[in-house]
């Protein structure tokens, strides 16, 4: 942003009173500010991302006028300045900008020191104990917070000079402290690897502004690793070498010969792994992996084969059991006869060390799992149950009557992501059942399987027709493709489930048929062609119509699931509308703005990255919860997660949270909701695929309402998912299994 003193344009000094609008993607902001001259608040518009209400700003820009909103100041850049008046100081300190000082304490401090307040905090913080109610402990805390603010400000001024936003500057400072400026100046590509929220493009822009050449090997190698990391975010465990070089050339805009040379260097430095594996057509392909994905894929294949072949058996009774008697006893207990394929699954899980059970809704997966657990418990087996999400774990516990945990909690992941349980310290389990395995990505599946003791039985349960995991890999599909792994696929829909429109339509969609949308009590379509009108109708259905007709709570029981994040009917825009309807701002109630979002008590939110340092065993991408408290004084808010854990977020960590009134269908995996509302618009054309719609519909326990375009619905049903992900897990299991 440069030095504002030499920047051309008009300078306006003002206190930021409130932010009325922010575009999250561009940072464009509309705000109201107060000047020393008094009078009405003025409107300012432009790039103000990172500025907080209460701060005194020196804005540089020009005056303009808007046909609807009148005179406004167009901001080109800004810096924060310390306020000079008693009123400004009171507002500044009371707005929660300095940890440990809330509105009431700010009042007392300013009443005591007046216009001298900020100088006292800066130069003689020990004097703060003169203020009633301020002891040495709190005084020291305030002095430390002030020093940190100052250090961050210094880093920010440097970073703004190289075009980095305020919120990222805070993250960089937290990562490197006093070394921040040196790292940014000399090793900017480290930022992409070390700092969450900074990708290669941001690091590249910084590198350019500190003078690193376009064709430097440092840049090309970072670009190659970035290309592989982007591919992993799209679900791939590796990229074929030709594709990697072509994709990197597009991003880096340098010659492919230079990229190929730098790739050879990276392989030699063990920054990536290159190996020949079969491609989708069985022909050999040169695969390039980031090291953690290669390590995990090789390890997962070996661990599964190790379990399958273990001589020990922790449930030996089932090797010689009288199955007629055992199944007869089970029938008496449950009053239900197992179908032949269910019986096959029960026998497989209790006699083989690894087994996979898959099938769609209404095919009896749950009852089969319950039968397996009941028989194992009758023989005194130690049973451990897990699922990738809190909701799925709760459902598994209700189904079986045994405790269930999320995979992360079960393994007790530690800061940095290492598990407390692994091959050297396995879980104490005779039977481990994992549900919703379609959600398990390669890295987590590897950690889990490593922790299974030899001789234990591992049962993996999931629906292979759902979307694959958010993280890299398609573990469930690969296991079903590997002939060495025993499996049962349940296909028969039970008569009771045939009464459900939700179940019937899920199977129709999976078979490429349009769902029935007339004459059903639990499946509806509200047609609407325009995307913005679809968004409004979606909100009306979720907030008013469903609660009125079905008596469901719009926050707790109704979930809006959308194909994409962007666009007028995407999760971003819908969250703004749903928050206005369900949790509007109230005068005098604390709220916190972060980036383009406002967080309020009562908001439904979800975590968007794995953070191993939070909570008892980390908080993971997709963990949902509700904000229960916001403290401006402590600069933090508290979320009660669906696993009933209270997690604190400092205000500078809020880019890890997004609102969850509406979430993308990808994020909904493993969760179940009484009712789901799905907006379908032609603007989501690229995303409209059969497994996406199937996943959305199968999240609903009681009710599905589709809102939007019939054309979009037909497109989703017609389109079989895009090409397979690049993985070699099935091949590795198969290859190792050959004599």
């Amino acid at each position: 942003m440069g030095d504002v003193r030499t920047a051309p344009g008009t300078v306006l000094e003002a206190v930021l009173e409130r932010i009325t609008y922010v575009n999250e993607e561009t940072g464009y902001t509309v705000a109201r500010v107060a000047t020393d001259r008094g009078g009405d608040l003025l409107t300012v518009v432009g790039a103000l991302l990172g500025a907080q209400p209460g701060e005194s700003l020196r804005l540089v820009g020009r005056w303009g006028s808007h046909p609807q909103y009148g005179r406004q100041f167009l901001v080109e850049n800004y810096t924060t300045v310390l306020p000079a008046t008693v009123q400004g100081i009171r507002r500044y300190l009371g707005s929660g900008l300095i940890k440990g000082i809330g509105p009431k304490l700010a009042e007392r401090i300013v009443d005591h020191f007046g216009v001298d307040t900020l100088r006292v905090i800066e130069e003689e913080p020990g004097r703060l104990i003169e203020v009633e109610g301020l002891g040495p402990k709190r005084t020291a805390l305030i002095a430390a917070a002030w020093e940190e603010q100052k250090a961050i400000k210094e880093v920010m001024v440097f970073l703004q000079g190289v075009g980095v936003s305020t919120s990222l500057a805070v993250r960089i400072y937290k990562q490197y402290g006093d070394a921040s400026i040196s790292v940014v100046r000399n090793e900017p590509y480290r930022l992409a690897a070390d700092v969450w929220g900074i990708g290669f493009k941001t690091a590249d822009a910084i590198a350019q502004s500190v003078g690193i050449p376009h064709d430097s090997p440092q840049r090309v190698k970072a670009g190659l690793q970035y290309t592989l990391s982007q591919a992993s975010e799209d679900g791939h465990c590796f990229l074929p070498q030709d594709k990697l070089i072509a994709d990197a050339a597009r991003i880096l805009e340098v010659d492919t010969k230079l990229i190929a040379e730098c790739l050879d260097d990276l392989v030699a430095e063990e920054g990536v792994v290159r190996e020949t594996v079969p491609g989708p057509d069985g022909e050999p392909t040169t695969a390039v992996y980031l090291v953690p994905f290669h390590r995990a894929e090789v390890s997962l294949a070996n661990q599964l084969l190790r379990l399958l072949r273990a001589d020990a058996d922790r449930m030996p009774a089932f090797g010689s059991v009288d199955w007629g008697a055992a199944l007869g006893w089970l029938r008496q207990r449950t009053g239900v006869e197992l179908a032949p394929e269910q019986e096959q699954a029960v026998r497989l899980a209790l006699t083989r060390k690894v087994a996979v059970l898959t099938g769609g809704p209404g095919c009896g997966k749950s009852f089969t799992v319950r039968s397996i657990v009941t028989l194992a418990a009758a023989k005194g087996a130690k049973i451990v149950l897990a699922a990738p999400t809190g909701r799925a774990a709760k459902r598994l516990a209700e189904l079986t009557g045994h405790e269930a945990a999320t995979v992360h909690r079960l393994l007790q992941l530690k800061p940095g992501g290492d598990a407390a349980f692994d091959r050297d310290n396995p879980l104490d389990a005779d039977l481990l059942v994992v549900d919703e395995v379609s959600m398990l990505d390669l890295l987590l599946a590897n950690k889990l399987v490593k922790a299974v003791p030899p001789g234990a039985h591992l049962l993996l349960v999931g629906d292979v027709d759902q979307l694959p995991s958010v993280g890299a890999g398609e573990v469930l599909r690969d296991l079903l493709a590997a002939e060495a792994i025993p499996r049962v696929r349940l296909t028969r829909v039970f008569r009771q489930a045939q009464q459900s429109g939700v179940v019937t339509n899920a199977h129709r969609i999976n078979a490429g048929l349009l769902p029935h949308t007339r004459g059903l009590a639990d499946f509806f379509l509200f047609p609407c062609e325009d995307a913005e009108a679809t968004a409004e109708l979606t909100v009306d259905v979720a907030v008013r119509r469903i609660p009125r007709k079905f008596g469901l709570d719009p926050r707790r029981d109704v979930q809006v699931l959308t194909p994409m994040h962007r666009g007028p009917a995407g999760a971003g825009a819908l969250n703004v509308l749903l928050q206005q309807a369900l949790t509007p701002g109230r005068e005098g109630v604390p709220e916190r703005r972060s980036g383009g979002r406002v967080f309020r008590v009562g908001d439904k939110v979800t975590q968007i990255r794995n953070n191993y340092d939070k909570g008892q065993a980390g908080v993971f991408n997709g963990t949902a919860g509700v904000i229960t408290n916001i403290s401006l004084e402590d600069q933090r808010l508290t979320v009660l997660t669906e696993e009933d854990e209270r997690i604190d977020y400092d205000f500078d960590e809020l880019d890890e949270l997004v609102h969850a009134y509406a979430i993308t269908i990808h994020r909904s995996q493993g969760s179940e909701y009484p009712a789901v509302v799905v907006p379908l618009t032609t603007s989501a054309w690229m995303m409209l695929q059969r497994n996406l719609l199937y996943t959305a519909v199968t999240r609903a326990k009681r009710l599905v309402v589709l809102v939007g375009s019939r054309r979009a619905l037909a497109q989703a049903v017609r389109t079989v998912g895009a090409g397979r992900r690049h993985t070699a897990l099935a091949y590795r299991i198969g290859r190792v299994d050959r004599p």
Side-chain angles (χ1 to χ4, degrees), residues 493-621:
V493 181
F494 283 88
R495 196 166 54 244
Q496 194 182 345
Q498 288 168 4
Q499 315 304 310
S500 156
V502 175
V503 170
T504 305
N505 278 333
H507 286 280
R508 286 184 66 83
I509 290 163
N510 209 18
L513 302 169
L514 278 169
H516 294 307
T517 55
R518 290 204 178 94
L520 294 171
D522 61 352
F523 201 106
F524 301 88
L525 169 67
F526 286 83
C528 183
E529 288 306 317
D530 173 73
E532 273 158 10
T534 297
E536 283 171 25
L537 183 52
T538 299
V539 172
D540 190 40
V541 165
V543 172
R544 285 173 280 277
R545 297 192 194 195
I546 289 177
R548 203 164 50 220
K549 181 164 180 178
F550 295 93
L552 295 173
D553 181 299
R555 258 177 229 264
R556 196 183 55 239
D557 301 329
V558 182
Q559 184 61 55
V560 175
L561 300 179
T562 150
M564 53 201 286
H565 183 75
R566 292 194 169 91
L574 281 167
N575 269 315
V576 173
L577 296 173
L578 287 159
Q579 185 191 36
Q580 279 167 5
L582 292 169
T583 319
R586 299 204 310 280
E587 200 58 50
V589 175
E591 55 181 46
R592 175 65 180 188
R593 190 171 282 281
S594 173
R597 304 184 182 92
V598 185
F599 291 101
R600 300 185 179 123
V601 170
D603 273 342
K604 266 168 88 163
V605 289
T606 182
Q607 170 85 7
I608 58 168
R609 68 174 287 228
N610 289 347
N611 186 333
Y612 297 99
D613 302 327
K614 280 202 166 305
Q616 288 170 6
V619 183
F620 298 90
N621 189 350

Side-chain angles (χ1 to χ4, degrees), residues 8-36:
T10 307
V11 175
L12 175 68
E13 301 230 349
V15 174
L16 182 58
E17 288 291 331
R18 65 173 181 273
I19 292 174
T20 52
Y21 169 79
V22 178
N23 180 316
E24 206 184 302
E25 280 154 33
T26 63
Y28 174 81
T29 304
V30 179
R32 304 279 280 162
V33 301
T35 63
D36 291 345

Side-chain angles (χ1 to χ4, degrees), residues 416-431:
D418 287 333
F421 292 98
D422 54 20
R423 195 166 172 176
D424 298 327
N425 180 31
L427 296 160
D428 183 13
D430 302 329
L431 171 66

Side-chain angles (χ1 to χ4, degrees), residues 613-693:
D613 302 327
K614 280 202 166 305
Q616 288 170 6
V619 183
F620 298 90
N621 189 350
T623 301
V626 175
I627 297 176
T628 54
N629 183 49
I630 295 179
S631 166
L632 296 178
E633 185 168 331
D634 297 330
Q635 290 193 6
R636 70 166 58 113
L637 58 76
T638 306
V639 173
L640 179 65
T641 71
E642 59 194 5
E643 291 160 48
D644 296 324
E645 186 176 7
R646 289 185 190 281
I647 306 285
D648 288 333
Y649 289 82
D650 288 342
F651 284 169
D652 57 19
E653 299 176 311
L654 295 184
D655 52 358
E656 296 189 19
L657 284 180
V658 297
H659 290 100
Y661 298 102
I663 58 175
T664 60
I665 296 166
H666 280 89
R667 289 202 152 273
S668 73
Q669 288 171 261
S671 290
E672 259 192 355
Y673 313 94
V676 303
V677 184
V678 187
L680 294 170
T681 63
T682 49
S683 57
W685 205 248
M686 295 298 292
M687 300 295 291
L688 296 174
Q689 291 171 4
R690 189 180 298 168
N691 61 352
L692 189 84
L693 183 59

Side-chain angles (χ1 to χ4, degrees), residues 232-294:
S232 77
E233 287 186 17
D234 291 335
H236 300 297
C237 299
F238 67 82
L239 278 183
Q241 179 169 282
D242 296 350
K243 181 166 171 48
L244 169 61
I245 291 173
D247 287 357
R250 253 198 319 278
I251 291 166
L252 292 164
E253 296 174 336
V254 298
D255 184 55
T256 52
K257 189 167 171 292
L258 172 63
I259 295 176
E261 286 166 9
C262 287
L263 177 57
D264 291 344
D265 290 349
L266 255 184
V267 172
E269 294 160 11
E270 298 183 356
V272 296
V273 176
R274 186 161 52 192
E275 190 185 340
T276 302
V277 300
D281 51 3
E283 291 300 305
T285 184
T286 304
V288 184
Y289 286 82
L290 288 172
V291 174
F293 294 104
H294 182 263

